[in-house]
Amino acid sequence: RAEVMGSTCSTPCLATGEREVRVDPEVERHAIVIEDEKDILLPDGAYSQKAADPERTPYSGSTGVPSTVDASPTTGLLSDAEDDGGADQRAAAACGQWRRALAEVRELCMQGRLLDAMGALKKLEGEVASWAAGAGSEEATRLAGEVRDDATICALRTTHGRMQEMLSKFAGPGSLPQGKKDTRWTLAAIKDPEIDENFQADIQFRYAAGAERDPKGPSMQIIVCGILSNFPLDIQKFISVYRETDLYQKEWMADCERCIGKVGGPERMYSSFSHVVNSSPILPVRIEIITVREFAVCLSKSPVGDFGPGVLVVDAGPASDATSYAGWDLPPQVSRTLRLSNVSMLLYFYPSAGRPGYCDAFVGAKLGASIPQWLVPSSLLKRFLVSHYLTSFKAIKTNIVDGWDKLGYAQRIEACPAFYSTTSSIAARL
């Protein structure tokens, strides 16, 4: 378990079991140093893994959102060009290296490492543009056009842009819980030994207020965040459950009337589409949710805090009147339903510390519905969220974890080695 955002402490730390674990800024971000044994709320905002209560908070650490993760495969491209062969030879040598760097960017995309790919692309574009402007090389100019118009690169840019927009929504001051004195939030602590004796989900929520509200958005706007701990499924399998949406069955979700999924390949940066209609008896209306999920494998550090290697999942929904989103055509709204609009959900999955085959996750979400806020008091919303998350977690445990060999997820993982083999390497990096 790690910190997220909201504290300005210079040395981020977290608590695991009865040990304080501190991330040393002088070593790699995913390296840890075990310090004093403690099992209390730490003074700089971290918290222990004891039973949840309103005074504990997992949200501390960096508040910044990195624009990219610098993979730096293009470092020193110009320095390797021959200096004694004339301008044409230098241009040819540089362009050859740039083309190899472009191939590396495409390969990073094939592996699902979109943040790394964008960092490498920006470096490549800067060097090509500088050379083309200074030397006037026709080859460099042609390469700049190729980079600009390449289908994979275009898909990378747009997908990365949506990810950065999502990350920015959870990076502002006060966006996440600020500790035990932050009374804006309502806590819903979930435990279930049928899932696992160590399983726990701490979900907090509140209504958006002030500048957080979209003035053009729906009347009810909600912010949800939480930490999922010790779920009995490894990270590669958990990501496949989220990505292979067409394998998920409506019978696995309580009160679900419709569950439709579609899965994209590398041409869509491995994104997937989900369409769910839920008729929970807790709510006064039937809810329709349409989202597009996009993925970024992070082999070095997390873009949402100090979690170490993991997988970022951006689960976003379009405006209620949209007909397409992120390259996916959207169906018309189901009659007599309330479609949740502008859904913004960010998840970061990472292996559970010291428990091979288990996974943790950070969850942040912003939801909206065209329904008066007074009609859904916080007590009713808490009941719905607890019911929704608990039934979802239990469904994954009962129907997927326990029945893994009878389902098609293993075959999907095998059929997409470029993406899933990268996710499987995450645990080995801890």
Side-chain angles (χ1 to χ4, degrees):
R1 179 169 326 201
E3 304 166 344
V4 191
M5 298 168 281
S7 171
T8 57
C9 60
S10 59
T11 307
C13 69
L14 54 119
T16 304
E18 297 190 359
R19 300 176 299 172
E20 178 184 342
V21 180
R22 188 168 297 273
V23 181
D24 191 337
E26 300 301 322
V27 298
E28 291 184 349
R29 288 170 65 95
H30 62 266
I32 58 177
V33 179
I34 306 301
E35 295 188 351
D36 299 337
E37 291 196 349
K38 294 182 180 179
D39 194 12
I40 58 174
L41 183 68
L42 302 178
D44 48 355
Y47 70 111
S48 72
Q49 288 186 339
K50 290 215 166 188
D53 62 63
E55 295 187 353
R56 60 183 278 192
T57 174
Y59 310 103
S60 58
S62 171
T63 59
V65 178
S67 60
T68 62
V69 177
D70 186 3
S72 301
T74 61
T75 301
L77 289 179
L78 293 179
S79 62
D80 293 335
E82 295 292 338
D83 292 330
D84 57 352
D88 291 341
Q89 287 184 330
R90 289 196 298 272
C95 286
Q97 293 184 66
W98 285 327
R99 290 193 180 280
R100 289 190 290 274
L102 179 58
E104 287 188 53
V105 173
R106 294 192 181 105
E107 179 60 25
L108 288 170
C109 291
M110 286 293 294
Q111 296 173 6
R113 297 172 58 187
L114 302 191
L115 302 185
D116 290 343
M118 195 64 195
L121 176 62
K122 286 191 173 183
K123 192 173 189 68
L124 171 62
E125 288 178 322
E127 294 193 1
V128 171
S130 177
W131 182 266
S137 167
E138 293 184 4
E139 181 67 16
T141 301
R142 283 195 298 270
L143 180 58
E146 182 179 332
V147 172
R148 182 189 63 241
D149 300 330
D150 183 87
T152 298
I153 301 304
C154 289
L156 169 62
R157 288 195 188 96
T158 55
T159 303
H160 181 267
R162 287 189 293 270
M163 287 184 170
Q164 289 301 114
E165 181 181 2
M166 182 71 74
L167 288 166
S168 69
K169 293 182 179 181
F170 298 95
S175 296
L176 298 175
Q178 302 297 297
K180 60 183 180 180
K181 295 183 179 180
D182 192 345
T183 59
R184 299 172 300 162
W185 299 84
T186 299
L187 172 67
I190 303 172
K191 289 186 175 184
D192 192 330
E194 293 183 8
I195 297 175
D196 189 86
E197 61 180 6
N198 295 308
F199 165 79
Q200 184 169 323
D202 300 337
I203 308 298
Q204 299 189 67
F205 68 92
R206 62 181 174 84
Y207 296 104
E212 297 173 327
R213 292 184 56 85
D214 180 359
K216 298 181 180 179
S219 54
M220 185 177 71
Q221 299 179 32
I222 305 164
I223 301 174
V224 182
C225 63
I227 293 288
L228 171 71
S229 303
N230 297 307
F231 193 87
L233 196 64
D234 68 48
I235 188 169
Q236 183 190 63
K237 293 179 179 179
F238 218 149
I239 293 302
S240 75
V241 172
Y242 265 77
R243 179 172 176 265
E244 310 295 338
T245 53
D246 59 324
L247 295 181
Y248 210 92
Q249 302 173 27
K250 70 182 183 68
E251 291 77 15
W252 297 349
M253 289 185 283
D255 309 310
C256 182
E257 295 183 3
R258 179 178 301 187
C259 179
I260 299 173
K262 300 177 183 179
V263 183
E267 76 286 350
R268 292 182 184 267
M269 300 287 126
Y270 301 107
S271 67
S272 60
F273 168 89
S274 174
H275 181 196
V276 174
V277 176
N278 186 282
S279 58
S280 171
I282 297 176
L283 297 180
V285 293
R286 295 159 68 225
I287 299 296
E288 181 183 24
I289 306 174
I290 291 180
T291 60
V292 172
R293 293 174 182 169
E294 297 176 308
F295 304 82
V297 181
C298 306
L299 295 184
S300 58
K301 59 184 179 180
S302 165
V304 291
D306 295 313
F307 292 114
V311 179
L312 175 69
V313 181
V314 170
D315 204 0
S320 58
D321 58 349
T323 57
S324 65
Y325 181 78
W328 293 90
D329 293 331
L330 305 180
Q333 184 171 343
V334 176
S335 61
R336 297 189 299 278
T337 65
L338 176 67
R339 176 176 288 185
L340 296 185
S341 58
N342 300 308
V343 174
S344 301
M345 182 175 294
L346 182 152
L347 304 99
Y348 189 77
F349 293 89
Y350 53 100
S352 300
R355 302 201 74 191
Y358 283 72
C359 193
D360 295 354
F362 161 74
V363 181
K366 292 189 177 183
L367 312 172
S370 299
I371 185 172
Q373 186 168 299
W374 59 264
L375 194 59
V376 186
S378 60
S379 58
L380 180 60
L381 183 58
K382 180 176 181 177
R383 287 177 56 201
F384 171 74
L385 289 174
V386 170
S387 174
H388 170 74
Y389 282 109
L390 183 57
T391 55
S392 297
F393 299 145
K394 292 189 71 170
I396 294 175
K397 172 61 169 64
T398 302
N399 298 296
I400 298 179
V401 177
D402 295 344
W404 181 262
D405 294 337
K406 301 177 183 178
L407 304 172
Y409 292 100
Q411 290 76 15
R412 293 290 181 87
I413 291 174
E414 185 178 356
C416 189
F419 176 74
Y420 285 117
S421 64
T422 312
T423 64
S424 68
S425 69
I426 291 173
R429 291 175 171 264
L430 297 181

